[in-house]
Amino acid sequence: MPGHPSRWSRLRGRLIHLRPVRWARSSLSVRIAVVMTAAAAVVVVIFALIASTLLRDSVFQGRREVVLDDASVRFSSAQSVFDQSTATTPDQVEDAARVTVESIRTSAAGAGAVSVMLLHSSESPDTFRINEIGSSDMKGIITDDLREDVQTGGTAYWQSVRIPADSGGQEEPGIIVGTSVNLPRAGTQEMYIIYSLESEQTMIDTVMRVLGLGTLPIVLGVPFIAFLALHRLLRPVRDTANAATRLAGGDLDTRVDVRGGDEMARLGRAFNNMAASLQDQISEYDELSRLQQRFVSDVSHELRTPLTTIRMAEEMIHQDRDSFAPVTKRSAELLHGQVARFEEMLADLLEISRYDAQSALLDAESVDLRGVAQKVVDSNADLASRLGVDIRIHVPPSRCTAEVDVRRVERVLRNFLVNAIEHAEGAPVDITVAASQTDVAVRVRDHGVGMSEHTVAHVFDRFFRADPARTRTTGGTGLGLSIASEDVALHHGVIEAWGEIGVGSSFLVILPRIAGEETVSRPLELWEEES
Ligand code: ADP
């Protein structure tokens, strides 16, 4: 039925979750051992079937020849006894026949005869009748076909039969041989001798049992031997897989031991070459990135002195701006704004360089985060009112103290808040402070333009700006949030962003209350439905 998994696929789905099946699926050695065992079992079964058929055929053929020879001797001796008989009455003939049948049964017993019968033939005359000799059970196993052959043909005929069990015993295989004999006056009668094949059957059973016992160690041993051999053989593959996992985890010095020159050794050598070339390339990139960082750091430092001179000159011009013509005054104001922005960007670049050089230090002191948040809100009140954004601050009544680097935490919050105000499109911005026993958290949330999934994923990347063309009040380099994430990492804290286009954005920072510890709780969630 379309859309519905079949019973087989459901069963399969359930089976593959069983522990041994999962283990077998995850190990090539086990899988191959299972396949080899199945193949060995099939070969053994086919071999046993062929062997038993051949054995049965050849034993049966040999035995049939012996039986036929014996029967023909018995039949001709019986016929000559009948030919020489002088019996005249039916009782006499029957007695003579009984004696003959009994003597055949005794003498042929050594050849495996279990029963001898003398039965009426269709040719027997009705006028001179004797009783049939032999057990009725045995008579029942002679088929009509055999009787017809015996009646019409002149020689001995045979047939395979199952001899009925005598009390308590089991049915046994046998051969029945029959021919027609001539009795004095009583005419044509059918004589049958039944030979047992029980001893042959016992012999075949014994041989098959020995054969079965002989192949058992093969069927049981194959899985073990195959598993051990394959497990050993596949060791280099496992080693290489483990090494690849370590390599992926950042251990670039990982290599595998290579022995010999077979395919496995080639795999190991290829892996080692790959790891070595990866290591070379990564160290090249590292070197390049170090050069780049040094370049940024050097340029930033070099720019500081000329910028200070420009700043001083520009300050003087700015102070005198009221004495200039309107156009010149406007230029002086623009120059003032741009120089300030330039200074900010240079400060960001220098901060990034400090992080790259790993020379940033945590200057921790115990402060109440509620005060820090309030201070950041106050210092951006002008910008907020200029853009018509209402900032709502939510703080708990109890203190939210933590050992933090105030300058850095202020910078993180300022960044969150300025970004929120700029992207709020006039909607209110909420700043929330909370604390747990171990950690403190601040969240800044706006209801403005929001962010796409791509922006959220890259918002902490250096120089990332979702819309570089967007008019910015203070302008930005795309470095603000990447510096914020370095600041938070220095505190072993957590920084997260969430956004949805048209709904708004939310930024969260969690810091441990004790400097040097890790954050272990979440006093605030990144996004909570507002009541
Ligand atoms: P910038 O100096 O450009 O502000 P940031 O690192 O502070 O650099 O921010 C990177 C980018 O993230 C911004 O350019 C902006 O596209 C996006 N962004 C940051 N905060 C928000 C916000 N609250 N709403 C929408 N976008 C934001």
Side-chain angles (χ1 to χ4, degrees):
M1 224 174 19
H4 286 276
S6 70
R7 190 188 284 189
W8 163 239
S9 66
R10 272 205 310 264
L11 181 72
R12 197 167 162 262
R14 222 171 290 156
L15 270 179
I16 57 177
H17 285 109
L18 290 179
R19 230 167 141 199
V21 179
R22 274 212 316 262
W23 178 61
R25 279 168 68 88
S26 70
S27 163
L28 196 58
S29 319
V30 174
R31 258 154 60 199
I32 296 180
V34 168
V35 169
M36 283 177 78
T37 311
V42 169
V43 169
V44 164
V45 167
I46 292 175
F47 168 73
L49 282 176
I50 293 175
S52 79
T53 313
L54 287 178
L55 188 67
R56 221 176 282 275
D57 284 357
S58 76
V59 167
F60 179 76
Q61 233 164 23
R63 176 73 174 131
R64 194 187 61 205
E65 273 158 28
V66 171
V67 161
L68 287 179
D69 286 350
D70 185 81
S72 98
V73 171
R74 306 292 162 206
F75 290 148
S76 52
S77 80
Q79 187 59 61
S80 56
V81 170
F82 293 143
D83 289 348
Q84 287 159 22
S85 171
T86 53
T88 48
T89 65
D91 282 348
Q92 285 173 342
V93 173
E94 193 179 318
D95 281 348
R98 238 174 240 291
V99 169
T100 312
V101 162
E102 190 49 39
S103 96
I104 291 177
R105 214 182 60 71
T106 333
S107 58
V114 288
S115 179
V116 182
M117 285 173 282
L118 194 68
L119 306 178
H120 291 146
S121 156
S122 55
E123 312 275 303
S124 309
D126 292 335
T127 45
F128 193 96
R129 266 191 109 67
I130 58 167
N131 287 323
E132 291 191 332
I133 303 166
S135 89
S136 55
D137 276 2
M138 294 296 177
K139 190 180 164 188
I141 63 175
I142 310 171
T143 62
D144 293 345
D145 284 350
L146 180 64
R147 293 203 63 172
E148 214 176 294
D149 287 344
V150 168
Q151 283 160 17
T152 51
T155 60
Y157 289 89
W158 66 272
Q159 188 190 8
S160 299
V161 286
R162 308 263 344 145
I163 303 171
D166 43 350
S167 58
Q170 265 191 338
E171 245 192 10
E172 50 190 64
I175 295 179
I176 181 163
V177 192
T179 193
S180 33
V181 285
N182 250 309
L183 264 67
R185 299 178 66 91
T188 308
Q189 305 282 330
E190 294 163 26
M191 180 173 263
Y192 295 94
I193 311 177
I194 301 174
Y195 294 87
S196 165
L197 295 183
E198 196 194 3
S199 58
E200 283 74 12
Q201 183 65 52
T202 313
M203 193 263 281
I204 290 171
D205 287 349
T206 310
V207 171
M208 289 316 293
R209 216 168 295 133
V210 169
L211 219 66
L213 284 175
T215 49
L216 203 65
I218 301 178
V219 177
L220 293 181
V222 160
F224 280 110
I225 295 166
F227 177 77
L228 289 180
L230 285 163
H231 196 69
R232 234 187 112 73
L233 199 74
L234 291 175
R235 201 170 62 196
V237 176
R238 284 196 303 279
D239 289 350
T240 312
N242 291 340
T245 311
R246 286 199 299 277
L247 191 74
D251 180 3
L252 296 176
D253 289 325
T254 273
R255 297 291 182 272
V256 288
D257 276 347
V258 180
R259 261 170 267 151
D262 58 7
E263 287 87 343
M264 295 295 183
R266 264 170 47 208
L267 171 72
R269 227 167 275 132
F271 175 85
N272 286 347
N273 290 342
M274 183 195 75
S277 103
L278 204 65
Q279 196 171 25
D280 285 352
Q281 276 186 19
I282 286 177
S283 45
E284 249 173 59
Y285 284 134
D286 274 355
E287 185 57 28
L288 261 177
S289 143
R290 256 194 302 278
L291 273 176
Q292 210 178 17
Q293 288 167 4
R294 224 182 46 222
F295 173 76
V296 171
S297 164
D298 289 354
V299 169
S300 316
H301 279 95
E302 287 302 319
L303 281 175
R304 260 190 349 182
T305 323
L307 184 63
T308 315
T309 318
I310 293 171
R311 180 73 172 160
M312 280 169 13
E314 175 273 318
E315 285 279 333
M316 283 166 63
I317 296 170
H318 191 248
Q319 275 167 18
D320 292 342
R321 66 187 181 283
D322 289 336
S323 57
F324 300 151
V327 180
T328 321
K329 183 183 172 190
R330 175 86 193 112
S331 302
E333 279 166 357
L334 275 176
L335 181 65
H336 182 71
Q338 291 304 312
V339 169
R341 216 182 134 188
F342 195 176
E343 264 190 325
E344 258 174 47
M345 281 155 75
L346 200 59
D348 280 356
L349 281 174
L350 284 167
E351 191 62 30
I352 283 278
S353 305
R354 229 165 280 141
Y355 273 114
D356 288 342
Q358 286 168 353
S359 59
L361 293 171
L362 192 75
D363 187 8
E365 58 180 298
S366 185
V367 286
D368 188 341
L369 263 283
R370 296 178 306 173
V372 180
Q374 189 61 56
K375 189 175 162 200
V376 172
V377 170
D378 294 344
S379 63
N380 288 289
D382 274 356
L383 175 67
S385 69
R386 222 180 320 134
L387 293 177
V389 174
D390 181 18
I391 303 175
R392 303 182 296 205
I393 180 157
H394 312 272
V395 291
S398 52
R399 290 167 61 79
C400 301
T401 31
E403 294 168 14
V404 294
D405 188 329
V406 184
R407 186 180 63 92
R408 293 183 199 278
V409 173
E410 263 179 28
R411 179 162 61 193
V412 173
L413 299 187
R414 195 182 325 119
N415 226 293
F416 284 180
L417 194 64
V418 170
N419 278 338
I421 296 170
E422 287 179 345
H423 294 92
E425 313 250 277
V429 168
D430 292 284
I431 173 163
T432 312
V433 183
S436 68
Q437 288 279 78
T438 48
D439 308 291
V440 287
V442 184
R443 180 181 63 208
V444 177
R445 176 177 159 183
D446 66 70
H447 302 79
V449 288
M451 296 187 286
S452 66
E453 261 179 48
H454 176 259
T455 304
V456 170
H458 295 281
V459 83
F460 298 114
D461 292 355
R462 284 181 189 181
F463 300 107
F464 176 81
R465 299 185 61 188
D467 182 6
R470 199 178 147 83
T471 334
R472 303 290 306 268
T473 318
T474 53
T477 49
L479 282 173
L481 286 175
S482 64
I483 293 175
S485 81
E486 301 274 13
D487 283 334
V488 173
L490 200 64
H491 285 86
H492 301 298
V494 170
I495 187 167
E496 290 172 0
W498 177 92
E500 204 176 307
I501 298 284
V503 177
S505 307
S506 185
F507 286 83
L508 172 70
V509 56
I510 307 174
L511 303 170
R513 294 183 90 147
I514 297 171
E517 307 250 298
E518 302 284 329
T519 55
V520 288
S521 67
R522 291 181 71 86
L524 272 179
E525 283 310 315
L526 183 53
W527 183 260
E528 279 162 15
E529 284 305 321
E530 283 167 338
S531 51

